[in-house]
Every structure is written in C-alpha cells, then in structure tokens.
Amino acid sequence: MALPKAFKMQINSRWIKSKGAQHILKILENAGHSAYFVGGCVRNSVLNIPVSDIDISTDATPEETLSLFDIDNFKVVQTGFSHGTITVISAGIPYQITTMRTDQNTDGRHADVRFSDNITEDAKRRDFTINALYANSFGEIIDPLGGLKDFNPLKIKFIGNASNRIQEDYLRILRFFRFHAQFSELTMHYDQVALSAIKDHQSGLKILSKERVWSEFQKILSTADPSRALLEMSKIGVLKKIWNDENIHNIRNLISIEKKLAIEPEPIRRLVAISTNSESISLNFSRKDAKKFSLLKGLLENKHDLAELVYQFSREIALSVLAIYTCRQGEKLKSSDVTKIEKAFLNPCPIKGAQISKYVRGAAVGIKIKEAQRIWIKSNFNSNEAKILSAIGIKVKPDA
C-alpha cells in the first residue's frame, strides 16, 4: 500500500509514548500489518489539548485483530465487529481498533462497509478534515487529505462534498455544531459551504433515533460554552428540529451565571433553561436525566428557599435552580443567595430522621424533618438539637 507523505510534524504527547499505546501498535506491525493512531487523539494533540479516547486504524481484518489480542495481557470487546471495530483494553485503558474501510451503501443512519488497506480511502469516509489525520508510532503525522491546513485558524469542514457527507449520516449535522461548541475559542467562523448543505438536509435529522440525537445534543450542551453553536443552530432551523428553541436567548446569560457560581457545565440544567414551561421530554433521556429534567422544571414553577433545596436534594440542585431562575428573570445574581446555599451545604441540619422516628411514625417523620430544617435555617444555622425539637413540638424524654 502506497502511503501519503508524512507531514513534517511530530506529536510528542504523553499518551503516544505510553507503553500501552506503543505495545498495541507494535503487535499489529510485528504481524505484518499497518497501524496508525487516528482521529480525535491526533487532532487534539495537534491542538495541544487533552486526549480522552485513543483510536487506531489498521489494515488487519477484525478476525486478525481479534486473534492477535486474544492473549492474557488484554481484554477484548467486540464493540462493532461487523463494522470492523474491536476494543482492546490494556492496563485499564481502552484502545478502539478499526479496520480501514470504505462505505458501500448508506441510508442516512448506517453504512455498509467494505474493508480496505488504503489509508486515503479510509480517510475519505470520515466526517471532517481535522479528523482525518493519522500518526505512526513515532508520532509522525500522515495527512492524506490535507486536513492540517484547516488547523490555523481552525476550521470545521466536511471532507469532500458536504451534502454527500451529511446524507451518509445525518448525525454529522449535530457533530458539526458539537465541534464548533467544543472548540469555540479556536473557531472564529462557520464554513458557509457546510451551513448551506446543513440547511438543505436538516430534515434528515427526523430519521435518526432519539437516543442518537440526545447523545450528540447532550455533548453539545456539556461543552464549556455552547452558546454560539446553539444560537447558530437556532438561526438556521436545526435546533427546532430536535427541541423547542423559543427560549434559546437565555443561554448566554445562563453560562455567564454559571461562571460566576463556578459550577461545571451540566446539560440538563442548560436544557431546562432554554425550554418553555410547557416543554415535555421529546428526546430519549436516561431515567436519571428524565428525573432531573422533571425535578428542575417542577422546582422552578414556584419559588423555594434555597437552603431547603440543599437539604432536600443537593447543593448542585440548589445552585442550578438559582442559576436558571436568575437567568429567566433577567436579574443580577445575588451574593446573599449564594451565601445561603454555601452555609447550608457547610452546616448540615443537626436533626436527622433517626432522631425524629423515636417520637413519630410514617409520613410524619418527613414532615417533622422539613420543619426542623426550616427552624435551623431561620436560626442562621446556629441553633441546637433541643431547641429545634422543642420548636417542632417534640418533647424529649430525659432518658432519650
């Protein structure tokens, strides 16, 4: 197989020098196969940002890869065997190894593939030029499609014909905006060819499963600052295809408040902030996500004591309610609200369920605990057990 000339650039990231990564490539190479690191791990190394996933491209067939790593030192998972992908776990680190391939037939969701030994053909089936970079075991970059020119400044461009890439898998529309959100500080402009193709084919999002759409949308919402990407999605009509965008104008204010509160990005919080009051769950959330979405929406229907929310739920829920409420009302963040949450978090109510259950039973226990929490909060977190119990109508027996 003739290789494209390696670009005169070498990545020296710690992950590529690690014994695990080097060992896996050597096993493939020593068996007479070509093997290269590919995709996000190479892209992020060029951008000098952390690498979370390590992907490897090889001309070994899935059966050959499986045979090579079916030894004691490795755990092998047949992640997507029919599509050429096997995950090899070494020292707790997963390496996704995929046979080079070309797409034969696509339907906007899935592709029928043919295995290959041609790195250029393998690169052509990928989504964006910045993801079509390969690196050998020495860290030397191989750039079959000239993607490196799109790194300075960073551009998110579809490989080849943008319309064709989108129609192969409509999820690439959301991936386009996810990379813009992920690299928002590096990408100054949108590729107009890409935007035009997205406008033409955005209706294809409807054929995707709700699970895939939510998985990708969740990644957008989880980035540090997705506001520019979300606003562009709304502007060209993409966001409306997957979620009501009536309150999308809230997103910039919410992110500003999150930064002031020093809280991590959280997709459900952000989704509630841009949702209407009547918005119902239209994506396939996990049970945990659905529960949180409903909880936050419900709590925002009425005003609550923020300290009580800390005790009844968590500090994170209290801060999320504060952030969304402040954002929706267009108010300034009050330092007194933040202080109240932190005081409650640092000063747990001294009255617990075990104490209350000595005197009352059933649902009354929960009612009395909430009463005790309110007394504790009203005392500015400075009362004592005896006073609180007395205030909620519980007479403590001397020998209790």
Side-chain angles (χ1 to χ4, degrees):
M1 175 183 62
L3 276 179
K5 188 176 180 181
F7 186 78
K8 290 182 180 178
M9 179 177 182
Q10 189 171 23
I11 54 177
N12 294 298
S13 304
R14 183 178 298 176
W15 67 267
I16 203 169
K17 297 177 180 178
S18 69
K19 287 183 180 179
Q22 288 290 317
H23 187 40
I24 286 176
L25 240 62
K26 289 302 177 189
I27 287 175
L28 288 162
E29 290 172 344
N30 290 342
H33 298 292
S34 299
Y36 306 93
F37 301 109
V38 67
C41 59
V42 181
R43 177 198 67 223
N44 284 15
S45 295
V46 173
L47 293 171
N48 198 28
I49 59 178
V51 166
S52 56
D53 301 309
I54 302 176
D55 291 335
I56 293 169
S57 181
T58 180
D59 60 5
T61 65
E63 292 81 6
E64 289 170 332
T65 302
L66 188 62
S67 176
L68 285 170
F69 292 96
D70 188 19
I71 51 180
D72 290 342
N73 295 340
F74 301 102
K75 179 181 177 182
V76 179
V77 181
Q78 296 185 32
T79 319
F81 193 81
S82 63
H83 286 82
T85 301
I86 290 170
T87 299
V88 174
I89 301 170
S90 174
I93 299 174
Y95 299 85
Q96 191 163 286
I97 304 174
T98 302
T99 304
M100 294 176 191
R101 52 196 178 171
T102 60
D103 291 341
Q104 298 301 292
N105 298 294
T106 60
D107 62 4
R109 294 173 297 177
H110 311 290
D112 294 327
V113 299
R114 179 176 61 81
F115 299 137
S116 169
D117 64 355
N118 189 305
I119 197 172
T120 301
E121 290 302 313
D122 184 70
K124 285 179 180 178
R125 69 171 301 278
R126 297 180 182 272
D127 48 12
F128 306 109
T129 56
I130 61 170
N131 291 336
L133 298 180
Y134 301 72
N136 61 23
S137 59
F138 300 103
E140 296 168 337
I141 290 180
I142 297 159
D143 183 15
L145 307 180
L148 275 167
K149 69 179 184 298
D150 293 327
F151 277 80
N152 190 22
L154 188 66
K155 302 182 190 74
I156 312 300
K157 293 174 63 177
F158 285 102
I159 290 169
N161 185 293
S163 290
N164 291 346
R165 295 292 80 73
I166 290 169
Q167 290 177 90
E168 288 165 358
D169 185 353
Y170 290 106
L171 196 70
R172 287 173 173 170
I173 291 173
L174 298 184
R175 282 174 61 80
F176 175 84
F177 289 107
R178 194 238 296 179
F179 285 121
H180 267 282
Q182 184 177 342
F183 303 126
S184 59
E185 294 182 356
L186 300 173
T187 53
M188 298 298 105
H189 305 286
Y190 288 93
D191 179 62
Q192 294 305 307
V193 173
L195 286 182
S196 178
I198 287 170
K199 287 179 188 177
D200 290 343
H201 301 293
Q202 58 186 299
S203 61
L205 288 167
K206 293 179 180 179
I207 74 169
L208 299 175
S209 70
K210 290 181 178 181
E211 291 91 343
R212 292 187 75 207
V213 170
W214 170 234
S215 177
E216 197 63 39
F217 190 30
Q218 186 176 31
K219 291 173 185 176
I220 294 172
L221 292 167
S222 299
T223 60
D225 186 355
S227 58
R228 190 156 58 94
L230 289 170
L231 289 166
E232 187 67 27
M233 288 171 69
S234 177
K235 179 181 174 182
I236 67 173
V238 168
L239 189 54
K240 197 167 287 187
K241 293 286 188 295
I242 59 174
W243 196 259
N244 188 317
D245 63 351
E246 187 178 324
N247 288 331
I248 190 60
H249 58 275
N250 286 336
I251 191 64
R252 280 194 168 135
N253 191 21
L254 177 72
I255 289 169
S256 174
I257 292 167
E258 287 178 342
K259 289 177 180 176
K260 290 174 183 175
L261 291 172
I263 52 179
E264 292 295 315
E266 204 288 312
I268 299 298
R269 179 200 309 130
R270 290 172 169 183
L271 197 60
V272 172
I274 65 173
S275 299
T276 61
N277 290 334
S278 60
E279 189 77 59
S280 59
I281 297 172
S282 58
L283 296 171
N284 247 19
F285 291 170
S286 66
R287 188 174 298 177
K288 180 181 177 182
D289 287 342
K291 183 178 179 181
K292 187 169 188 177
F293 182 85
S294 298
L295 172 63
L296 287 176
K297 272 197 67 186
L299 290 174
L300 286 156
E301 289 176 1
N302 299 293
K303 201 160 186 180
H304 296 269
D305 185 288
L306 293 167
E308 287 185 39
L309 293 183
V310 174
Y311 294 141
Q312 290 170 26
F313 301 103
S314 67
R315 173 179 178 269
E316 193 271 330
I317 289 293
L319 287 170
S320 289
V321 168
L322 173 61
I324 299 168
Y325 180 84
T326 305
C327 164
R328 284 184 174 180
Q329 297 301 314
E331 298 177 354
K332 287 187 177 180
L333 191 64
K334 296 176 183 176
S335 60
S336 57
D337 287 337
V338 182
T339 300
K340 191 170 191 180
I341 290 173
E342 297 306 334
K343 273 192 172 183
F345 179 67
L346 295 170
N347 298 280
C349 179
I351 305 302
K352 307 297 180 187
Q355 295 164 277
I356 299 289
S357 61
K358 294 177 183 178
Y359 307 99
V360 296
R361 293 285 182 271
V365 175
I367 293 169
K368 288 297 182 183
I369 287 174
K370 288 182 180 179
E371 288 179 10
Q373 290 168 348
R374 291 189 189 107
I375 297 295
W376 172 244
I377 293 164
K378 194 174 180 180
S379 75
N380 197 24
F381 314 97
N382 194 30
S383 188
N384 59 52
E385 291 183 28
K387 286 182 179 179
I388 296 172
L389 289 171
S390 176
I392 61 174
I394 291 179
K395 293 181 180 180
V396 181
K397 298 175 184 177
D399 59 344

